[in-house]
Amino acid sequence: MSRQLSDVRWTATLGLGVLLGSSFGGLASASEFPPPADVAAPIVASETPADETLARQDVGRPSGGMMRPGFGAGIQTPGTELTREQIEKIDAELLENILLITDPTERSLALVQAARYKIVTRELETARTALDRAAESIEQMTDPVRRDLRLISTSKTFVELAQESINAAVSGVPGILSLEQELSPEQRIDALRKGLDAFTRANELAARIGSIGYRPQTMYFAAEQQALGGQAIGVVAFRNPGRLADQPDVLADLRRISTDYIDRAASFAHSIDAPVWRDVTLSAITSAAANSNQFALARQIARSVPELEIRFQALLTVAEAEVRRGSADQATTDYAEAARTVASIPIADLRSTLNNVLVESLIAAGRFPDARRCIVFYPTELDRLEALGAVAESMGSRGLSNEARDWIFREVRPEYRDQLFRRVNDGVLSTLERYGNDSYLGQDARAF
């Protein structure tokens, strides 16, 4: 089975929710609220205890700042617009006025909304203050469902804050349409450290969610996004330092910070109490380390994955990254470790499925002898012959048909040789079909 099919199995195991980026709730439409029975009677808020209703109520104003049709959304009467001084005064008093709200449920929601606005305008210190106050307000909430929903939204907003801190460090611009000077290297490093601190708070809040349905996937999201932040920094620090090569101190700081992002994300992932979510999170973090050329760290995290199937996937990710950008010798060691992991899987069908993924990877990397050695992990002769056929065809397509015929003659029993010779020819033909037309069109053509 190909890696895509393997990914399908994981998706089916975990559910499509977090993997496809769906939110935990949506805005209620006007049609969902029944009209009052008596126009003269006051409108009473719904008391439906369903989690879905509470999730809708928890969303509040859309994060993009656009208002839905309804009260307050109409065009303002000319002459009633606020002056710039009035707007600045309202902005300066925003948090102070929100903190006057006595109900912690409403206060925390308002603080999260204010934080999102401040993140958009890159007033990151104010956004951090709002989120810290929101976290304090959550501690005073008594409704467990609303408390979990607020922890989710606050944790995710801390992630947004951390991501914007990384963006500010990369772009160097402190604010939208700002006339200030670009950030200095020291200020950029400080912004990255503040981003790591915001990720830490996001992880802490996610771990406090009471619902076993919401907690693991929120923890996964926070840890994965933190690792991706470390990857973004590591791509600059480890893979493409460019001008930073002339600034060794700054480069060293960036490398340390990138490693801290990923290493702390892995430590947090180990605290996830749902085994599948824990292991998938560790695999995602391994990928972030490997993509940023932090191969030793990636290997360490991959080896720490308890479940064999996902550990194999993590090790294979490291091996493939080594092939593309690292050491060929180390890639051989990583592939060997992935093969040993496959061999240790006791279920024959699963072992065969994962071996398909391993053989495909080795073929793609041009490691044909290693791919042939892995056929011993297949449970049936038919599976082994099919894998050898894939090797033979790929060698034929890459101009290695003579080498392919040599090993077929040496290693394969006579009754199977002709079938594999034919697969070599299939590969040759595929190459001719792909490139032969170009050479034909390059010849002098006569009109009919």
Side-chain angles (χ1 to χ4, degrees), residues 326-344:
S327 163
D329 291 339
Q330 187 57 60
T332 300
T333 302
D334 294 332
Y335 271 121
E337 187 169 356
R340 288 193 295 272
T341 304
V342 171
S344 64

Side-chain angles (χ1 to χ4, degrees), residues 91 114-124 164 174-176:
D91 190 24
R116 287 173 177 159
Y117 165 73
K118 293 297 183 180
I119 290 171
V120 170
T121 58
R122 275 198 181 169
E123 298 176 70
L124 303 186
E164 196 58 37
I176 301 297

Side-chain angles (χ1 to χ4, degrees), residues 117-170:
Y117 165 73
K118 293 297 183 180
I119 290 171
V120 170
T121 58
R122 275 198 181 169
E123 298 176 70
L124 303 186
E125 293 295 337
T126 306
R128 175 57 193 265
T129 300
L131 289 175
D132 285 336
R133 298 294 179 270
E136 295 171 2
S137 299
I138 292 172
E139 289 300 304
Q140 304 171 23
M141 296 174 62
T142 57
D143 184 339
V145 175
R146 285 189 179 279
R147 182 178 182 275
D148 282 352
L149 290 171
R150 197 73 79 248
L151 284 169
I152 291 168
S153 61
T154 308
S155 174
K156 286 193 167 186
T157 308
F158 263 114
V159 169
E160 294 174 15
L161 173 62
Q163 292 170 333
E164 196 58 37
S165 295
I166 296 174
N167 292 340
V170 171

Side-chain angles (χ1 to χ4, degrees), residues 2-71:
S2 66
R3 184 173 309 173
Q4 288 85 352
L5 294 178
S6 178
D7 292 341
V8 167
R9 291 183 52 193
W10 290 353
T11 303
T13 301
L14 297 173
L16 295 176
V18 75
L19 295 182
L20 299 183
S22 61
S23 62
F24 292 97
L27 286 170
S29 64
S31 61
E32 293 172 343
F33 293 91
D38 187 353
V39 176
I43 300 177
V44 181
S46 171
E47 298 181 356
T48 305
D51 291 357
E52 180 181 358
T53 301
L54 294 178
R56 291 198 303 267
Q57 295 170 351
D58 189 77
V59 172
R61 187 186 177 115
S63 58
M66 297 297 294
M67 296 184 67
R68 301 292 188 190
F71 293 109

